[in-house]
Amino acid sequence: DAGGHFSATFTSPDPGQVTGHASSSLNLGSQQDPIVVQTNGVGQNGSDAVKTFVDARIHITPSATNRVGEPPTFVAHVEKNLGLGAGWVDAANEPTTITLTASNGASITQLGPGSGTGLASATYNLTSGANGTASVTFTSPTPGQVTGHAQATLNLGSQQDPIVVQTNGVGQNGSDAVKTFVDARIHITPTATNRVGAPHTFVAHVEKNLGL
């Protein structure tokens, strides 16, 4: 253009690097052969430009079934890819939030961190450890389900805005984990008094609650 600029806009859906190399052939006078310049770092020329694409992802596990009162643990795992060829690695020391939400009759008893009982929801503000994980342990005294949702905020480069990832099943991120609490019970009736020789029947009644 009039300012001597030409541009190309692009992106990458995956972490890694894209190198930009520019060259130009100029006629600077009628008696001159064309002058070819390129970004090779020679003389007055600059060097190639490198765009590094980074990404992050998060998972929370496990989805499983437990009997009421048992103490399961949800583990959030945060990973990053700095686009330098090392692939996905654990993201340590990153702010990580785990939110638990009870449904279908469950209620949350916090076992660590925190000590609340009878909660409909609970939010934990944590930091990922050296292996990129953060965890919470809890239970429910009643059948139902507890859904675990995880979110993390990462700074992956001095010029990058923070990257926020969450377990929404989008892109490289996993989905929320669901813990289902189940229970069963049994009764036998009736308690009564009969004359000797009179027939009596005991009835056992078995029930289950699948937490759904």
Side-chain angles (χ1 to χ4, degrees), residues 60-76:
I60 187 169
T61 56
S63 290
T65 300
N66 285 69
R67 187 172 185 180
V68 295
E70 291 182 346
T73 298
F74 277 147
V75 179

Side-chain angles (χ1 to χ4, degrees), residues 27-172:
N27 290 291
L28 300 185
S30 59
Q31 303 305 312
Q32 296 286 332
D33 292 332
I35 294 177
V36 177
V37 291
Q38 59 179 314
T39 53
N40 56 6
V42 175
Q44 293 289 325
N45 298 313
S47 300
D48 290 345
V50 178
K51 178 59 67 173
T52 302
F53 289 94
V54 299
D55 203 5
R57 66 187 182 188
I58 190 169
H59 293 78
I60 187 169
T61 56
S63 290
T65 300
N66 285 69
R67 187 172 185 180
V68 295
E70 291 182 346
T73 298
F74 277 147
V75 179
H77 185 202
V78 187
E79 297 171 284
K80 61 185 178 182
N81 189 324
L82 299 182
L84 304 178
W88 291 97
V89 298
D90 296 334
N93 302 315
E94 302 292 353
T96 304
T97 300
I98 296 178
T99 300
L100 305 182
T101 304
S103 61
N104 298 341
S107 66
I108 299 163
T109 298
Q110 296 175 301
L111 300 177
S115 58
T117 60
L119 305 176
S121 64
T123 298
Y124 306 78
N125 296 311
L126 310 167
T127 301
S128 61
N131 58 356
T133 64
S135 63
V136 297
T137 302
F138 61 98
T139 191
S140 173
T142 52
Q145 292 182 309
V146 175
T147 299
H149 179 81
Q151 178 175 305
T153 303
L154 302 88
N155 290 289
L156 298 187
S158 59
Q159 304 304 312
Q160 296 285 333
D161 292 331
I163 294 177
V164 178
V165 291
Q166 57 180 314
T167 52
N168 55 8
V170 175
Q172 292 284 334

